[in-house]
């Protein structure tokens, strides 16, 4: 257990824990960007004193998704050539200036400033996943990487919840100014942290890499063996990766997991998760819930935070399939109950429906976030890292993540139009139908990836049968498989390729922890 591990060797783990916490603050900023729209847009509409129409509100809500697509592509350049730490520091500037422009709209009084501010925030959102996730993963040792990597998902949920809480008591512009100050603090805090040893080593700075590794493992820890393993693994990986040919991408071991991953990503967003996050306050207002919308939103955000933290302990304990199937089943029930409420609201009238079923919207959304956080939130990104062959993981992961962004943009942008033209009940029934369809998709097409090596996954998708190898021979690759892509909550974009990190069986015996 992590708690036992911390108590046994705190001097080794606490520096890594600090690096994980600092590296995860970008996800907190991402959460504030997503959470701002829920209290911010109704507040903006209520205090509006410059020209805007209904379409502007829809696009302002969806604008971060537009910017994030380009941010996810652009951040790879500074990460590669300037370093993980500098890229992490630089991406906070996008949040700072984006939130500042958003808040100054109260003075400039032009909608173009809202668009510009949200677009810059979107660039920051796109940069966050690769910058933060890779920094955290490369600073962590294999025996604690999975748990420390889950801090990013919790930080995302925390950012959303904080936006809900503060937004319940301040107007939209003050909320933006508050979210201008926080990234400044995170930027200066990041300055105190080391660069990742792996990046330093791969760029010929072995002495600096050793010092960084020593700082992250504790001053009394002998890092010679780990440093040697990192060098050997890097040399082996660099020599084995050649050029990628188009014909290689069309092979079954590549195309089959790629298609399955795209399908899972589609169904993840087809639950309407980001529509729920961006329009939580509006949903409660439309539902006429008996509980005040701002307080109901805080409750929902708190529940999401708690179960996002808890979900980090489920993934390695239960299989991927069972988590996805259970999460999708309960999520579809909650969406159906939400659609049922809106159906009776349309048939009975708002007052009668609220009198008899006013509690249902809050309960439905709480159940929705609990169920979603338990599987649909993070498992799609985990299986993406496990199913793709290592040579194509970065490229296919980028394509898959971009597809996820496109689906997110479409749903967030057109969710209000669906409510108007299809009706509230039909909209939620569509989300429920898509989620139910994902159950069949997972059951018939998705293999269980827990405990399988990369070689086994490739044989599975190429329909090649080989004699089972002894368990002890297969154990060597388990940690590499399970940490290729650290858990990413909700709609987090980008992929983490840790091919340079040595497998778990190369870790010293006294440092291996069992979770």
């Amino acid at each position: 257990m992590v708690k036992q591990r911390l108590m046994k060797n705190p001097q080794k783990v606490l520096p890594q824990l600090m690096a994980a916490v600092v590296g995860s603050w970008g996800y907190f900023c991402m959460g504030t960007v997503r959470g701002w729209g829920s209290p911010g847009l109704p507040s903006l509409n209520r205090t509006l004193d410059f020209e805007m129409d209904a379409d502007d509100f829809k696009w302002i809500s969806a604008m971060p998704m537009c910017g994030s697509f380009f941010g996810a592509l652009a951040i790879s350049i500074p990460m590669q050539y300037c370093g993980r730490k500098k890229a992490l520091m630089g991406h906070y500037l996008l949040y700072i200036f984006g939130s500042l422009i958003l808040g100054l709209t109260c003075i400039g009084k032009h909608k173009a400033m809202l668009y510009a501010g949200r677009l810059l925030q979107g660039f920051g959102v796109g940069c966050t996943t690769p910058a933060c996730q890779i920094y955290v993963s490369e600073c962590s040792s294999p025996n604690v990487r999975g748990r420390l990597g889950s801090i990013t998902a919790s930080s995302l949920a925390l950012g959303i919840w904080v936006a809900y809480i503060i937004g319940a008591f301040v107007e939209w512009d003050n909320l933006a100014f508050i979210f201008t100050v926080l990234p400044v603090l995170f930027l200066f805090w990041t300055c105190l942290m080391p660069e990742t040893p792996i990046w330093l080593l791969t760029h010929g700075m072995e002495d600096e890499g050793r010092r960084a590794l020593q700082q992250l493992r504790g001053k009394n820890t002998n890092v010679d063996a780990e440093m040697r393993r990192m060098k050997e693994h890097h040399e082996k990986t660099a020599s084995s990766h050649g050029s990628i040919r188009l014909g290689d991408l069309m092979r079954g071991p590549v195309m089959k997991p790629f298609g399955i991953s795209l399908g899972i990503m589609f169904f993840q967003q087809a639950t309407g998760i980001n529509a729920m996050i961006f329009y939580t306050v509006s949903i409660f207002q439309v539902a006429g819930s008996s509980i005040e919308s701002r307080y109901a939103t805080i409750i929902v955000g708190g529940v999401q935070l708690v179960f996002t933290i808890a979900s980090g302990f489920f993934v390695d304990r239960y299989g991927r399939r069972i988590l996805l199937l259970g999460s999708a089943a309960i999520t579809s029930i909650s969406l159906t109950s939400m659609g049922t409420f809106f159906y009776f609201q349309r048939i009975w009238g708002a007052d009668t429906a609220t009198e008899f079923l006013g509690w249902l919207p809050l309960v439905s959304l709480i159940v929705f976030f609990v169920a979603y956080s338990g599987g649909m939130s993070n498992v799609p990104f985990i299986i993406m890292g496990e199913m793709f062959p290592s040579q194509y993981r970065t490229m296919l992961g980028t394509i898959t993540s971009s597809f996820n962004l496109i689906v997110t943009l479409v749903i967030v942008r057109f969710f209000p139009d669906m409510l108007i033209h299809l009706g509230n009940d039909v909209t939620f029934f569509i989300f429920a139908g898509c989620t139910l369809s994902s159950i069949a998709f997972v059951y018939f097409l998705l293999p269980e990836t827990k405990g399988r090596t990369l070689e086994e996954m490739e044989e599975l998708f190429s329909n090649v049968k080989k004699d089972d190898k002894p368990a002890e021979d297969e154990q060597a690759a388990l940690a590499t498989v399970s940490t290729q892509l650290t858990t990413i909550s909700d709609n987090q974009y980008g992929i983490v390729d840790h091919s340079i990190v040595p497998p778990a069986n190369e870790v010293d015996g006294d440092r291996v922890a069992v979770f």
Side-chain angles (χ1 to χ4, degrees):
M1 298 295 292
V2 175
K3 182 177 180 181
Q4 295 173 339
R5 184 63 190 167
L6 283 170
M7 295 180 65
K8 184 178 180 181
N9 292 299
Q11 71 279 7
K12 294 182 180 180
V13 179
L14 288 179
Q16 300 176 61
L17 179 62
M18 178 62 68
V21 171
V22 174
S24 298
W25 283 124
Y27 276 91
F28 178 90
C29 295
M30 180 194 292
T32 62
V33 171
R34 295 181 182 180
W36 179 90
S38 184
L41 291 179
S43 171
L44 174 62
N45 189 38
R46 186 174 59 251
T47 61
L48 188 64
D49 57 355
F50 54 91
E51 183 180 356
M52 283 186 63
D53 56 32
D55 281 340
D56 289 323
F57 279 90
K58 299 172 189 175
W59 279 112
I60 288 171
S61 179
M63 191 55 62
M65 298 301 101
C66 299
S68 62
F69 178 82
F70 298 101
L73 298 177
I75 192 62
S76 61
I77 298 176
M79 284 182 62
Q80 177 64 27
Y81 295 102
C82 300
R84 317 311 198 199
K85 175 183 173 180
K86 291 180 181 177
L88 192 63
M89 293 168 57
H91 103 290
Y92 284 123
L93 298 176
L94 296 170
Y95 287 116
I96 294 171
F97 288 108
S99 299
L100 182 61
I101 294 173
L102 194 64
L104 289 176
T105 306
C106 66
I107 300 176
K109 298 187 182 303
H110 197 284
K111 62 183 180 182
M113 297 181 67
L114 291 174
Y115 278 96
R118 293 290 277 174
L119 186 64
L120 276 179
Q121 287 181 329
F123 277 122
V125 167
C127 294
T128 289
T129 295
C132 295
Q133 198 74 54
I134 290 180
Y135 181 84
V136 171
S137 299
E138 292 187 351
C139 286
S140 305
S141 56
N143 52 315
V144 295
R145 183 176 296 116
R147 293 296 184 263
L148 295 183
S150 67
I151 295 176
T152 57
S154 302
S155 298
L156 175 68
L158 178 62
I160 294 173
W161 192 42
V162 168
Y164 286 170
I165 294 175
I166 299 177
F169 303 101
V170 303
E171 298 295 348
W172 62 274
D173 50 342
N174 293 326
L175 185 61
F177 285 132
I178 292 173
F179 292 152
T180 301
V181 176
L182 293 179
V184 175
L185 301 178
F186 300 154
L187 190 156
F188 283 108
W189 197 355
T190 306
C191 292
L192 304 177
M193 304 308 297
E195 178 58 83
T196 69
I198 293 175
W199 186 86
L200 293 169
L201 178 63
T202 56
H203 286 74
M205 293 178 276
E206 183 175 341
D207 293 338
E208 292 86 344
R210 179 180 293 275
R211 285 195 294 269
L213 184 63
Q214 191 73 67
Q215 181 178 346
L216 291 167
R217 300 298 183 263
K219 61 181 181 180
N220 296 323
T221 302
N222 189 333
V223 299
D224 291 340
E226 185 174 1
M227 193 70 183
R228 183 176 63 255
R229 287 190 297 268
M230 290 171 58
K231 291 175 60 177
E232 292 175 353
H233 194 79
H234 166 56
E235 293 170 357
K236 184 190 303 182
T237 304
S239 62
S240 63
H241 281 192
S243 60
I244 299 177
R245 297 173 299 179
L246 180 61
D248 295 334
L249 299 177
M250 304 305 294
R251 296 186 299 114
V254 178
M255 290 302 298
K256 290 178 182 179
F258 180 52
I260 292 174
S261 186
L262 288 179
I264 296 296
M265 289 297 182
F266 169 80
F267 287 118
Q268 182 198 52
Q269 294 306 314
T271 60
I273 175 62
N274 279 287
M276 307 298 177
I277 293 175
F278 278 77
Y279 294 101
T280 306
V281 170
S282 299
I283 290 172
F284 280 113
Q285 290 175 344
V286 171
S289 174
S290 56
I291 301 177
E292 189 174 348
S293 59
R294 62 177 179 176
Y295 297 125
T297 300
I298 292 173
I299 294 173
V300 169
V303 169
Q304 182 188 12
L305 172 62
V306 169
F307 281 87
T308 298
I309 295 174
S311 67
F313 298 92
F314 297 156
V315 174
D316 290 332
R317 182 165 299 186
Y318 304 103
R320 282 44 163 162
R321 279 169 53 88
I322 191 65
L323 286 180
L324 277 177
L325 291 172
S327 176
I330 301 176
T331 298
S332 62
I333 293 173
S334 64
L335 289 170
T336 301
S337 66
M338 199 73 177
T340 301
F341 171 82
F342 284 119
Y343 171 79
F344 284 115
Q345 186 186 62
R346 179 166 56 86
I347 299 299
W348 294 346
D351 294 338
T352 304
T354 302
E355 179 182 355
F356 290 99
L357 299 172
W359 52 270
L360 189 56
L362 176 60
V363 173
S364 297
L365 278 185
I366 288 177
V367 173
F368 172 85
F369 280 111
V370 168
Y372 181 86
S373 300
M376 297 291 288
S377 171
N378 48 16
V379 174
F381 290 97
I382 295 175
I383 62 176
M384 178 176 66
E386 293 173 332
M387 291 194 303
F388 293 160
S390 59
Q391 186 176 358
Y392 312 103
R393 185 169 294 118
T394 300
M395 181 181 64
L396 296 182
T398 301
I399 297 173
T400 305
S401 299
S402 300
F403 175 76
N404 186 295
L405 278 170
I406 294 172
V407 178
T408 302
L409 172 62
V410 171
I411 291 178
V412 171
R413 168 59 182 83
F414 293 104
F415 176 69
D417 293 328
M418 294 173 67
L419 295 177
I420 294 173
H421 298 293
L422 299 178
N424 301 334
D425 52 347
V426 174
T427 298
F428 280 90
F429 285 143
I430 290 175
F431 288 151
C434 291
T435 308
L436 281 173
S437 300
S438 71
I439 296 177
F441 184 90
V442 171
Y443 184 82
F444 290 106
L445 297 179
L446 178 66
E448 180 57 67
T449 61
K450 178 186 176 183
R452 292 181 182 268
T453 65
L454 293 177
E455 182 183 17
E456 288 176 331
M457 292 303 302
E458 186 165 349
E459 292 173 2
L460 176 66
F461 287 113
S462 60
N463 296 320
V464 174
K465 299 289 185 178
K466 290 189 177 182
D467 294 336
D468 293 333
K469 296 181 179 181
E472 58 269 23
D473 293 337
E474 299 299 328
Q475 187 65 30
L478 289 181
T480 303
V481 175
S482 62
T483 60
Q484 292 294 331
L485 183 67
T486 307
T487 300
I488 299 177
S489 170
D490 175 54
N491 181 32
Q492 304 170 19
Y493 318 118
I495 182 166
V496 183
D497 187 357
H498 298 298
S499 57
I500 188 174
V501 180
N505 68 325
E506 297 180 3
V507 182
D508 292 339
D510 62 341
R511 299 187 59 188
V512 176
V514 179
F515 301 113

